[in-house]
Amino acid sequence: MGWLLGWPLLTVAAAAAQTARNAMQRDLTGRLGTVGATHVRFLFGAPFALLFLGGLVLASGEAPPLPPASFWGWVVAGALTQVLATALMLATMSRRSFVVSTAYIKTEPVQVALFGLVLLGDPLRLSTALAIGLATLGVILLARRGDGAAADRRDGLTAAGLGLGAAALFALSAVGFRGAVTSLPHADLLTAAAVTLAAALTLQAAALSLYLLWRQRATLVALLRLWRPSLLAGLMGALASQFWFLAFAQTSAANVRTLALIEVPFAQFVALRAFRQRPSRRDSLGILLIVFGCLLLLHSEMN
C-alpha cells in the first residue's frame, strides 16, 4: 500500500486528473463564461473534499486536529490565488490551444527563479541562466502567432500575459497550501492533506457562490443546470488537489514540479483527441523549449 502513496505515483495521478479537469472546464467556458467555469472546480469539488475527510475520520476513528490561526492565513492565501489563477488559465485557453495554454502554466519554476533573482538578489548560475533563456525563448515563440494581422499578434501577446500570470498565481497558491498542510499540529499526512483540501474548497465554493448570487445570478443558475458534466469536473479537481497536497508533503517542490511536466504530453494527447487541435511547428518548438528549460532549471536546483 505504501507505494500507492509514494510521491511519484501521486504526482502522475495528480497531473492526469488535473489535465482531465482543465479540459472539462475549458469545454464549459463557452456556456458559462470564465467566472462560471472557474467556479465548477470549487462548487462541485467541495462535496467530494468533505467526503474524503469524512471517510478518513470514519476509517481512523479519530477527529481531525483543530487548525491553528496560522493555518487559516495560509489557506486563505492559497485559496484566493488559486481562484484568480484558474480564471486566468481559462481565459488563456479561450485564446490559445489547450496544450499551448498548459505550457504557459508550466513556466512556474522559471518564474520562481526570476522572482528570486530580481526581488531577492539570488545568485544566478550558468545553468539557471541557460534554463531561463530557453524557457523565455519558448514563450516568445508561442506568443508570436506568425505573420498574421496585428489583432492576431495582440491576441497572442494577451494570451501569453494571461498564461504567465496564471502560472505565477498557481506558484503562490502552492506555497499557501503547503504552508497550511505543514502548519497542522500532530496530523498525519493523509489527514493534513484532507483537512486542507476540505477547508480550501469549502471557502472557495462559498465565496464564489456569494459573488455570483450578487453579480451574475444567471450564471449560477446555468451552472447548477449543468450539474452532470460539472460534477465530474469537480471530482477530478478534488482528486488532483488531494494528490498534489500528498505529493508536496512527501518531497521537495522541485521534485514534484519536475515530474509534473508530464502534464504537457497529457495535454497534447487531450488536445489531439478531444479538441482536434494540432500544434504548429512554431508552437511545438516553443513547448519543447519551455519543457527543457524547466527540466534544466529543476535539475540544477536538485544538485
Side-chain angles (χ1 to χ4, degrees):
M1 182 66 181
W3 67 273
L4 286 173
L5 296 177
W7 72 265
L9 188 59
L10 287 167
T11 300
V12 173
Q18 182 162 289
T19 302
R21 184 209 66 212
N22 289 345
M24 295 172 195
Q25 282 186 284
R26 179 193 180 279
D27 193 49
L28 289 167
T29 302
R31 289 178 280 179
L32 297 173
T34 300
V35 177
T38 297
H39 195 26
V40 165
R41 72 176 292 186
F42 306 122
L43 181 63
F44 292 93
F48 290 108
L50 293 172
L51 283 174
F52 294 161
L53 179 59
L56 186 61
V57 170
L58 288 175
S60 64
E62 297 180 1
L66 184 64
S70 60
F71 169 86
W72 295 109
W74 286 116
V75 165
V76 169
L80 177 60
T81 50
Q82 188 180 55
V83 169
L84 296 174
T86 302
L88 290 182
M89 178 192 71
L90 293 175
T92 305
M93 289 180 178
S94 69
R95 289 170 170 80
R96 294 304 313 267
S97 71
F98 185 70
V99 66
V100 168
S101 300
T102 301
Y104 280 139
I105 303 303
K106 292 305 168 186
T107 62
E108 174 251 331
V110 175
Q111 293 197 56
V112 171
L114 281 171
F115 290 155
L117 171 66
V118 175
L119 300 178
L120 303 176
D122 290 341
L124 190 65
R125 291 184 291 182
L126 179 61
S127 59
T128 303
L130 180 59
I132 291 173
L134 285 173
T136 302
L137 180 58
V139 170
I140 291 172
L141 287 174
L142 292 179
R144 288 176 56 84
R145 304 192 68 173
D147 298 321
D152 290 335
R153 292 195 294 271
R154 285 196 300 271
D155 196 48
L157 292 172
T158 299
L162 291 171
L164 296 176
L169 289 170
F170 275 128
L172 292 174
S173 72
V175 172
F177 289 140
R178 178 170 171 77
V181 170
T182 56
S183 70
L184 285 172
H186 313 298
D188 60 79
L189 176 64
L190 281 172
T191 301
V195 169
T196 302
L197 178 62
L201 284 179
T202 300
L203 177 65
Q204 290 164 325
L208 269 180
S209 293
L210 289 173
Y211 172 79
L212 288 175
L213 190 63
W214 174 43
R215 298 298 300 271
Q216 300 181 31
R217 188 168 301 183
T219 300
L220 184 59
V221 172
L223 174 59
L224 294 175
R225 286 176 177 168
L226 292 172
W227 66 269
R228 290 181 185 274
S230 298
L231 196 64
L232 183 56
L235 173 60
M236 290 296 102
L239 284 175
S241 296
Q242 187 78 72
F243 293 150
W244 287 128
F245 290 173
L246 289 170
F248 277 121
Q250 290 187 49
T251 188
S252 69
N255 287 336
V256 176
R257 288 201 306 257
T258 301
L259 187 53
L261 289 171
I262 197 172
E263 192 177 335
V264 175
F266 284 171
Q268 178 69 80
F269 177 79
V270 171
L272 288 173
R273 296 299 297 271
F275 303 130
R276 300 294 188 265
Q277 295 173 339
R278 187 176 297 276
S280 66
R281 291 183 179 179
R282 180 194 294 269
D283 287 347
S284 297
L285 179 58
I287 292 167
L288 285 174
L289 287 172
I290 288 174
V291 171
F292 285 149
C294 290
L295 285 172
L296 178 60
L297 174 66
L298 296 169
H299 176 74
S300 66
E301 285 184 358
M302 292 185 288
N303 290 303

